[in-house]
């Protein structure tokens, strides 16, 4: 059996009528430049399933706080040019076996890293993981919020319960392991939800563009940029580890 699971938007709640199609949330931060020195919150290659500034690219864009959010997974191979990442997930590219267990997914258990220097100001732990294909009732599930200063807060969600290795008040440095990728909260399969906002509270404040530094997107080095839907991205220090190699690593992991 293959589960036709799709990574859903993380914690966005919106109601629309047929007469009023959804639109991108208005934002005064469209030209905002991130002040924190951000790196990707992982060390290997991940696929951007949702990410960008339009609803076509990013279904989070309807929500003010998650206006520029990312949903990310690990896949077994590169996508064909122009391929739809959601369709790729539905075809089973994000897991081995039948995908019925969280442990089948290549990103499950992967270390999640602090995207920048800061202080942990909010978190939640203890939310159980979902069975793939089902949704939990707590939108972000287990999460960590990091204050980078200048009213910039990183929000990292859907973490494995018990995997959080930081506490409120802890200072973290960019690249420091803080938790493991999971499938808790409003999530249909293991993935990482990330966004930057102006508040430490979920559903509060304004979403901010997150410009990461020194990463590779589809094989090209990016000095500073915003990852977009369908891109395969990895931090510079992780370059050279192919998705196929990562799949092998997952199969060997206890």
């Amino acid at each position: 059996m293959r589960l036709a699971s799709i990574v859903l938007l993380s914690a966005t709640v919106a109601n629309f009528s047929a007469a009023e199609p959804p639109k991108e949330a208005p934002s005064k931060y469209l030209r905002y430049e991130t002040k924190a020195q951000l790196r990707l919150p992982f060390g290997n290659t991940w696929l951007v399933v949702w990410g960008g500034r339009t609803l076509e690219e990013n279904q989070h864009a309807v929500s003010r706080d998650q206006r520029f959010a990312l949903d990310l997974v690990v896949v077994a191979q590169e996508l064909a040019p122009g391929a739809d990442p959601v369709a790729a997930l539905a075809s089973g590219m994000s897991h081995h076996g039948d995908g019925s267990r969280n442990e089948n997914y290549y990103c499950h258990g992967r270390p999640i890293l602090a995207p920048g220097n800061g202080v942990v100001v909010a978190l939640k732990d203890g939310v159980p993981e979902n069975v793939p294909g089902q949704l939990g009732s707590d939108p972000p599930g287990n999460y960590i919020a990091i204050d980078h200063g200048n009213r910039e807060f990183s929000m990292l969600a859907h973490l494995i319960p018990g995997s959080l290795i930081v506490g409120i008040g802890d200072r973290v440095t960019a690249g420091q392991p803080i938790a493991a990728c999971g499938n808790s909260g409003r999530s249909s399969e293991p993935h990482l939800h990330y966004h930057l906002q102006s508040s430490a509270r979920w559903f509060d404040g304004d979403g901010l563009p997150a410009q990461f530094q020194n990463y590779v997107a589809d094989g090209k080095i990016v000095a500073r940029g915003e990852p977009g839907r369908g891109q395969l991205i990895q931090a510079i220090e992780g370059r050279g580890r192919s998705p196929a190699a990562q799949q092998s690593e997952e199969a060997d992991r206890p």
Side-chain angles (χ1 to χ4, degrees), residues 84-147:
D84 180 358
V86 171
L89 266 70
S91 71
M93 287 184 65
S94 60
H95 62 78
H96 59 83
D98 63 10
S100 62
R101 300 171 62 243
N102 287 318
E103 293 78 7
N104 293 151
Y105 290 79
Y106 303 126
C107 69
H108 188 263
R110 287 282 183 186
I112 300 303
L113 313 178
N117 298 340
V119 178
V120 176
V121 290
L123 58 76
K124 180 179 286 186
D125 199 353
V127 179
E129 290 196 281
N130 307 318
V131 174
Q134 301 179 14
L135 296 177
S137 59
D138 183 300
N142 305 305
Y143 74 88
I144 294 173
I146 300 173
D147 181 0

Side-chain angles (χ1 to χ4, degrees), residues 31-97:
R31 296 186 178 181
Y32 185 82
E33 294 188 5
T34 311
K35 296 179 176 63
Q37 304 294 304
L38 296 180
R39 55 148 295 152
L40 295 179
F42 40 76
N44 55 317
T45 302
W46 292 57
L47 169 69
V48 182
V49 180
W50 295 112
R53 296 191 168 206
T54 68
L55 274 176
E56 183 179 4
E57 300 169 309
N58 188 0
Q59 59 180 342
H60 302 91
V62 297
S63 180
R64 182 171 69 106
D65 60 318
Q66 299 176 50
R67 180 66 171 79
F68 309 97
L70 300 169
D71 276 348
L72 304 123
V73 301
V74 175
V75 292
Q77 62 191 66
E78 294 185 5
L79 275 67
D84 180 358
V86 171
L89 266 70
S91 71
M93 287 184 65
S94 60
H95 62 78
H96 59 83

